[in-house]
């Protein structure tokens, strides 16, 4: 009976789409910056999918958003980029946050170093 209950719990949670996860961030700053962010989320069609990520200063100022206009059910994890991000003078790190259409912003953010610019 314990094995049956454990199996049912595993089956019921398999495929559950929780918060979106940020797996990797790369940044290139020859002038303004380009961010490439790799996300993972168990997208479930149009009702529940990873739909945005943001570049922000550590004190919470929004620098740029990348809106994701459709689910990525069959493409996990996936990477999308945004360019033209102007980083304030003296900023050495920014944070990336991601959201999905059901839960909103994930509780985990990703801190990334800004490359030294000439």
């Amino acid at each position: 009976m314990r094995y049956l209950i454990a199996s049912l719990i595993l089956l019921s949670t398999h495929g559950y789409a929780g918060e979106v996860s940020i797996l990797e961030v790369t940044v290139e700053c020859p002038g303004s910056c380009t961010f490439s962010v790799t996300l993972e989320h168990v997208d479930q069609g149009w009702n529940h999918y990873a739909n945005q990520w943001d570049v922000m200063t550590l004190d919470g100022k929004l620098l740029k958003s990348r809106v994701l206009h459709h689910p990525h059910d069959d493409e996990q994890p996936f990477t999308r980029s945004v360019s033209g991000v102007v980083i304030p003078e003296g900023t050495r790190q920014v944070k990336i946050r991601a959201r999905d259409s059901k839960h909103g912003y994930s509780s985990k953010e990703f801190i990334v170093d800004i490359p030294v610019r000439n």
Side-chain angles (χ1 to χ4, degrees):
M1 184 66 165
R2 273 188 259 185
Y3 296 112
L4 176 61
I5 292 171
S7 297
L8 289 174
I9 291 170
L10 286 173
L11 287 173
S12 68
T13 58
H14 181 73
Y16 167 74
E19 292 184 340
V20 59
S21 296
I22 302 167
L23 301 182
E24 183 179 16
V25 178
T26 60
V27 58
E28 296 177 14
C29 299
S32 62
C33 297
T34 298
F35 288 81
S36 297
V37 176
T38 302
L39 301 177
E40 185 172 49
H41 185 263
V42 183
D43 284 4
Q44 297 177 334
W46 292 98
N47 293 323
H48 188 190
Y49 67 99
N51 65 349
Q52 182 175 319
W53 57 266
D54 303 324
V55 180
M56 305 181 70
T57 62
L58 296 182
D59 63 358
K61 179 183 176 193
L62 179 65
L63 300 176
K64 194 127 185 191
S65 292
R66 174 65 152 94
V67 176
L68 306 167
H69 295 285
H70 60 85
H72 296 85
D73 295 9
D74 298 324
E75 183 188 357
Q76 293 292 328
F78 64 97
T79 303
R80 295 296 179 270
S81 299
V82 67
S83 58
V85 181
V86 177
I87 304 297
E89 182 89 22
T91 301
R92 301 286 178 244
Q93 292 182 317
V94 295
K95 64 183 173 181
I96 307 298
R97 67 178 182 178
R99 62 171 282 128
D100 71 63
S101 60
K102 185 174 183 179
H103 297 106
Y105 287 102
S106 175
S107 59
K108 295 181 182 174
E109 297 174 336
F110 198 102
I111 305 296
V112 61
D113 293 329
I114 300 300
V116 176
R117 296 171 277 177
N118 296 327

